[in-house]
Amino acid sequence: MKKRDRDHLNLLCDVGELAAILTGSDNIESFLQRTVKMVARHLDAHVCSIYLYDESMKELVLTATLGLNPAAVGKIRMKLGEGLVGTTMDQLQPILEGSGSRNPKFKYFEEADEDRYESFLAVPIQKGVEKIGVLVVQHEEFNYFNEIDVMALRAIASQLAGAIENARLLMNLDQQLGKQSVKDIFEGLRFIRGKIAASGYAFAPSTVFRRNYRRLMIGDPASDPHSTLKDFYRALKMTGRQLEELQNRVSERLPESAALIFTAHFMILKDESFITKIVTRIEEGLSPAEAVRSVARYYISAFASSSHAYMREKVVDIEDLANRILANLRYKKLKDHPLMRGHIVIAPDLYPSDMLKLASEDVKGIILVSGGVTSHVSILSRSMEIPLIIADRPEFLNLPEGTPILIDAEIGNIYVKPSKKVVQQFETRNETKKSVASMAKTMSRSTKTKDGVRVRLLANINLLSELGLARDLKAEGVGLYRTEFPFLIRSSFPSEEEQYHIYKRLFEEMAGKIITIRTLDVAGDKLLPYSDATGEANPSLGLRSIRFSLNHRDIFEQQLRAILRAASKAKSLRIMFPLITSVDEFREAKQIVFDCMNRLSQLHLPHHGNPAIGLMIELPSLIEIIDQLANEADFFSIGTNDFVQYTLAVDRTNEKVSDYYKPYHPSVLRGLSKIVKAIVNHRKDLSVCGEMAHEEQYIPFLLGIGIRNFSVNPQFLPAVQKCIANLSLVKAESFTQALLSETTIRGVLNVLNSKRES
Ligand code: PEP
Ligand code: MG
């Protein structure tokens, strides 16, 4: 073996010195870069790298390296337990390998250029129980490192741990004191990996979404245009025209919300006292712009202090309207929302109704710094094909307006101020990517497994605008129509007539097919802005879904009558209740449907006289009473999103507990299996409509327990059909048995992973 020029003592002293001069104002990356150079030099190693642990993503990120390709910094990421580096962090133990590539855990990253390094030594960097990162050295020679190197690196790692932790603390403190410079924000956010809520790709300037946005209203009178009362009337007229145009465009994309997004705008625009107040101020000597601002502020403060949630929501509409008038006074073109259109929107949180507004404003993409991928906002963004990534990084909210951002929601990456090269790469990829709609030609009318078992594919519909795609992709019907979305976008409960027209379109556009309408499923994360009844501390366990309907019988009956009337000519109608907890509740809801039919008959109103009545299985409480329910219900649909949430007590909208949201938990799998067995025994119709139904890793399991109906968002239909066509039922069943025999999460994961690798 070649004589090695190693010098542990000096190395320790040098790193110690370096660590001592690191302060929070220093850039951690440049400190780590100096460290890896020093370690490599003293150990005569060919490679030295530091991977820092990103707690929010549970991933190690290559942060500094000497020897590997510098372009890989920030890009190579490993989960705990993944590769030798991830295993070092997971087990909190050094790994010393004479030939790293022979270790079965070794993972090769092409972008790192590390194929020629044989010897491998990694030590964890930790502070108490806190994981900080991994320090790695590599060498071309076999068996280059020894136990003394391990000891030396461990000593260095403990020095680094303290230094890095202090630097991070100081940086956080600076942030809290608001001292963080824009440069620091960019440094921390250059490349972020988030969770994909709705796939796609977007490159656009950023803007931060705040619900009570005041900034635009703070105008500078000195820069107001010289305008007159006549200009004000002209601006008012122009604003009305532009809003009408915008409304027409919205109605193409969101028919159920047509006319209603801008109700408040039009109401105020036509309000005599609003106009008179402005005119009076102008006549008193204010400039038209200042007069508009002053009256708008007056309305805003009145609305903001209202005790009704519905009125408070209107503040945003007044701001928007005032800004449109102000822009028109300047002859500026302000066709749409001045802030959101064409932007990537960064939001602290969003209501589904915000989401619909954003869609109407044609935003390019969304970064949400809280929330979960099965939340309704995520589901809705998929329906509207707006790429959405969830990243638990509140610093995003501090990004200056207009920062160029690229979101790659195919793999969950966010690039802040990306280089030209990155943008080009994505544009090329985006152009070549086939749109889902173009796959219609390749879809078969019916779906079968490899061994010929027939499976039915249905569509989950959230918005009427999705029906076209569902038809093109040959959905055999609607397995779930979420009726709450028309309710969420409205400024008050839609009337029976309004609902009737919406549901009628559903039956017309899917004529002759199975249609499953779920009754109102509000609260939880689907809050009605106008209903103060939903202001609860714990809405997921509160008066939601069928409980809300049974407690507001008038609203429930109006909805049922609208459904029954809209389906008067339909061949089949399936009415489904959400979040049923007991046989008693199901019977009560079912009786109300019969009462509604009787009432409609008395009124001689045409309606469907024989609907199938079923329920969603979303709660573990149904496992023990499923046989009785199967005697009484016509059909069932399993809502795995809520079933997982309630079985595991994990809020599906809370990013902080998203790691606990495990559809593969043995209790979830076994619970589902028991339910399906009972329903199949009773020969009742059964489907799955939660997100698990389109996730390829769970499809064999669902088939294996007996599911033959899958209801998924239309854009997933091609992938689900392809996945099923490649599976044989016999194999899916034995795989399912293997999954069900596992008693631990880790055990199930091993079985799932072995399938993925096979
Ligand atoms: C579910 O819970 O799985 C479901 C389909 O209903 P939602 O996502 O609307 O709660
Ligand atoms: Mg649900």
Side-chain angles (χ1 to χ4, degrees):
M1 196 192 294
K2 181 182 149 221
K3 186 178 171 304
R4 286 168 292 166
D5 178 18
R6 297 189 229 189
D7 176 6
H8 294 128
L9 197 59
N10 278 337
L11 169 58
L12 282 173
C13 293
D14 285 355
V15 173
E17 222 170 84
L18 196 60
I21 57 166
L22 171 73
T23 68
S25 55
D26 256 325
N27 170 326
I28 298 186
E29 278 101 299
S30 74
F31 159 71
L32 296 178
Q33 197 55 41
R34 279 188 280 163
T35 308
V36 293
K37 263 193 201 157
M38 199 175 276
V39 175
R41 181 159 49 84
H42 283 285
L43 288 188
D44 199 18
H46 291 133
V47 176
C48 179
S49 314
I50 292 175
Y51 295 77
L52 284 192
Y53 184 61
D54 178 351
E55 175 65 41
S56 63
M57 296 305 299
K58 305 268 180 288
E59 277 177 349
L60 285 149
V61 187
L62 177 65
T63 312
T65 185
L66 182 124
L68 298 185
N69 183 355
V73 168
K75 301 219 174 77
I76 294 191
R77 294 180 157 251
M78 268 172 267
K79 293 273 177 213
L80 284 184
E82 187 183 353
L84 292 175
V85 174
T87 307
T88 307
M89 185 87 292
D90 193 32
Q91 297 177 349
L92 295 174
Q93 286 297 332
I95 294 184
L96 171 62
E97 280 290 347
S99 169
S101 60
R102 287 195 202 147
N103 186 311
K105 280 272 183 185
F106 180 81
K107 184 159 182 192
Y108 174 62
F109 287 95
E110 206 181 334
E111 58 269 56
D113 294 337
E114 61 175 340
D115 46 349
R116 49 185 198 280
Y117 305 116
E118 286 300 338
S119 286
F120 177 96
L121 167 58
V123 294
I125 309 172
Q126 64 188 109
K127 186 93 200 295
V129 291
E130 210 205 326
K131 299 183 178 77
I132 292 184
V134 176
L135 171 63
V136 182
V137 283
Q138 291 170 275
H139 199 282
E140 282 183 15
E141 260 176 48
F142 287 97
N143 302 316
Y144 179 80
F145 301 110
N146 58 30
E147 284 302 330
I148 301 181
D149 295 321
V150 178
M151 279 163 58
L153 275 202
R154 287 191 96 160
I156 291 166
S158 76
Q159 281 180 331
L160 287 178
I164 296 170
E165 194 190 54
N166 283 341
R168 278 183 169 168
L169 268 176
L170 284 170
M171 281 172 85
N172 281 344
L173 201 64
D174 271 357
Q175 251 176 47
Q176 281 158 19
L177 295 174
K179 285 194 210 144
Q180 198 191 22
S181 70
V182 168
K183 187 168 161 283
D184 286 340
I185 301 171
F186 285 139
E187 284 295 325
L189 292 176
R190 261 186 328 236
F191 168 82
I192 299 292
R193 175 72 74 84
K195 295 202 171 103
I196 304 164
S199 64
Y201 153 91
F203 175 51
S206 70
T207 184
V208 175
F209 177 89
R210 298 187 202 285
R211 208 164 282 102
N212 283 326
Y213 216 93
R214 295 284 150 79
R215 245 178 39 193
L216 280 169
M217 283 295 300
I218 306 165
D220 174 11
S223 66
D224 281 342
H226 291 288
S227 42
T228 60
L229 187 59
K230 210 166 137 204
D231 293 320
F232 166 69
Y233 279 116
R234 179 194 47 78
L236 208 59
K237 217 164 146 190
M238 249 167 103
T239 307
R241 256 200 330 264
Q242 289 162 354
L243 281 169
E244 266 164 33
E245 266 172 40
L246 183 56
Q247 181 176 290
N248 289 342
R249 248 183 309 129
V250 172
S251 64
E252 279 166 30
R253 190 154 182 181
L254 300 167
E256 50 280 81
S257 73
L260 283 143
I261 294 185
F262 303 106
T263 320
H265 291 72
F266 284 117
M267 197 179 79
I268 301 164
L269 206 54
K270 289 186 184 129
D271 177 10
E272 274 302 318
S273 82
F274 176 74
I275 298 166
T276 315
K277 279 193 183 75
I278 296 173
V279 172
T280 312
R281 280 168 172 72
I282 296 172
E283 285 168 353
E284 282 167 6
L286 281 187
S287 74
E290 196 44 27
V292 170
R293 275 197 291 270
S294 140
V295 173
R297 271 187 224 115
Y298 166 81
Y299 273 74
I300 286 170
S301 68
F303 280 89
S305 56
S306 165
S307 57
H308 296 286
Y310 158 60
M311 296 300 271
R312 289 195 300 273
E313 281 281 310
K314 296 285 151 255
V315 166
V316 190
D317 294 336
I318 302 169
E319 280 175 347
D320 187 34
L321 177 69
N323 279 303
R324 288 174 188 281
I325 302 174
L326 288 170
N328 282 325
L329 269 173
R330 287 171 182 274
Y331 287 89
K332 265 206 176 158
K333 257 198 157 179
L334 188 66
K335 278 195 186 146
D336 298 314
H337 195 292
L339 276 178
M340 306 296 168
R341 187 172 170 75
H343 281 72
I344 287 180
V345 172
I346 302 169
D349 55 18
L350 287 175
Y351 293 141
S353 55
D354 296 326
M355 192 69 214
L356 293 171
K357 267 204 164 145
L358 292 184
S360 75
E361 286 154 14
D362 241 347
V363 303
K364 294 283 173 235
I366 300 174
I367 298 172
L368 208 53
V369 300
S370 67
V373 293
T374 60
S375 73
H376 290 93
V377 167
S378 303
I379 291 172
L380 207 46
S381 66
R382 292 196 275 279
S383 297
M384 293 185 297
E385 296 179 39
I386 301 176
L388 190 157
I389 295 186
I390 298 175
D392 188 9
R393 300 291 294 259
E395 312 94 280
F396 269 116
L397 299 167
N398 301 331
L399 274 184
E401 291 291 299
T403 303
I405 293 191
L406 190 150
I407 64 178
D408 176 3
E410 298 295 329
I411 44 178
N413 291 346
I414 304 170
Y415 301 81
V416 175
K417 293 221 265 185
S419 67
K420 266 195 186 135
K421 208 169 142 219
V422 170
V423 177
Q424 268 162 10
Q425 265 173 15
F426 282 94
E427 278 172 353
T428 318
R429 210 186 69 192
N430 199 36
E431 276 162 25
T432 50
K433 216 183 107 213
K434 275 207 275 177
S435 78
V436 179
S438 72
M439 296 169 96
K441 286 180 241 76
T442 61
M443 289 289 291
S444 307
R445 288 220 164 267
S446 76
T447 305
K448 282 191 183 136
T449 62
K450 216 173 177 174
D451 44 358
V453 178
R454 176 80 165 85
V455 171
R456 196 161 53 175
L457 296 192
L458 303 162
N460 286 352
I461 298 292
N462 304 324
L463 302 169
L464 294 177
S465 54
E466 292 170 283
L467 287 170
L469 188 61
R471 269 195 325 265
D472 291 348
L473 295 175
K474 309 187 176 64
E476 295 183 56
V478 175
L480 166 67
Y481 175 60
R482 289 182 166 101
T483 54
E484 49 278 8
F485 289 112
F487 281 73
L488 291 169
I489 188 61
R490 310 251 150 178
S491 45
S492 57
F493 283 107
S495 66
E496 182 178 327
E497 247 0 78
E498 283 170 332
Q499 291 181 63
Y500 163 76
H501 287 291
I502 293 172
Y503 305 147
K504 199 157 158 273
R505 275 192 60 174
L506 185 65
F507 289 101
E508 281 165 5
E509 294 201 27
M510 294 298 270
K513 297 199 159 74
I514 298 164
I515 298 207
T516 316
I517 299 198
R518 178 173 76 183
T519 59
L520 192 58
D521 185 19
V522 284
D525 67 334
K526 290 177 281 195
L527 295 177
L528 298 171
Y530 44 85
S531 168
D532 288 324
T534 51
E536 301 172 318
N538 206 342
S540 294
L541 302 181
L543 194 66
R544 62 165 291 199
S545 306
I546 194 68
R547 298 175 190 171
F548 180 93
S549 296
L550 293 175
N551 267 272
H552 295 86
R553 207 172 148 148
D554 48 340
I555 296 171
F556 191 34
E557 286 179 358
Q558 277 170 27
Q559 176 172 43
L560 289 171
R561 284 197 303 265
I563 295 171
L564 290 163
R565 285 174 50 210
S568 66
K569 295 192 191 121
K571 210 162 82 191
S572 81
L573 162 66
R574 309 199 322 166
I575 297 178
M576 178 160 79
F577 305 127
L579 214 81
I580 289 284
T581 55
S582 63
V583 177
D584 316 58
E585 219 167 35
F586 178 70
R587 282 184 190 158
E588 189 183 346
K590 192 170 162 177
Q591 185 54 49
I592 298 176
V593 179
F594 292 134
D595 293 346
C596 286
M597 288 194 293
N598 287 338
R599 180 82 191 123
L600 288 171
S601 301
Q602 281 164 8
L603 295 171
H604 304 290
L605 283 172
H607 61 279
H608 198 287
N610 187 24
I613 301 177
L615 64 136
M616 299 273 297
I617 294 173
E618 294 168 294
L619 296 171
S621 61
L622 300 196
I623 298 174
E624 294 300 323
I625 51 169
I626 195 66
D627 282 309
Q628 288 75 18
L629 279 168
N631 278 329
E632 306 200 14
D634 297 319
F635 69 93
F636 296 84
S637 189
I638 303 179
T640 53
N641 305 341
D642 277 322
F643 190 79
V644 175
Q645 158 166 274
Y646 292 114
T647 301
L648 303 180
V650 183
D651 180 349
R652 66 194 251 202
T653 66
N654 183 348
E655 162 68 18
K656 290 194 172 48
V657 291
S658 63
D659 280 350
Y660 294 92
Y661 189 94
K662 292 183 166 41
Y664 50 84
H665 188 296
S667 304
V668 173
L669 301 185
R670 291 177 183 201
L672 291 176
S673 165
K674 278 187 186 165
I675 284 167
V676 176
K677 207 181 241 170
I679 298 174
V680 170
N681 271 343
H682 285 266
R683 297 176 186 279
K684 287 287 164 77
D685 192 278
L686 167 67
S687 62
V688 173
C689 63
E691 301 295 301
M692 272 175 96
H694 74 80
E695 289 176 29
E696 292 194 16
Q697 62 169 331
Y698 302 123
I699 292 177
F701 167 77
L702 294 174
L703 271 177
I705 56 174
I707 298 294
R708 299 292 176 266
N709 297 297
F710 291 72
S711 191
V712 300
N713 277 20
Q715 72 264 35
F716 298 126
L717 288 165
V720 173
Q721 184 169 73
K722 193 164 154 215
C723 173
I724 291 173
N726 286 328
L727 286 169
S728 95
L729 182 64
V730 179
K731 281 197 183 151
E733 280 175 346
S734 71
F735 170 68
T736 301
Q737 282 320 310
L739 284 176
L740 290 173
S741 66
E742 294 296 334
T743 48
T744 61
I745 296 170
R746 189 174 275 267
V748 174
L749 257 184
N750 286 341
V751 178
L752 281 173
N753 288 339
S754 66
K755 165 107 186 152
R756 213 176 292 155
E757 282 155 21
S758 69

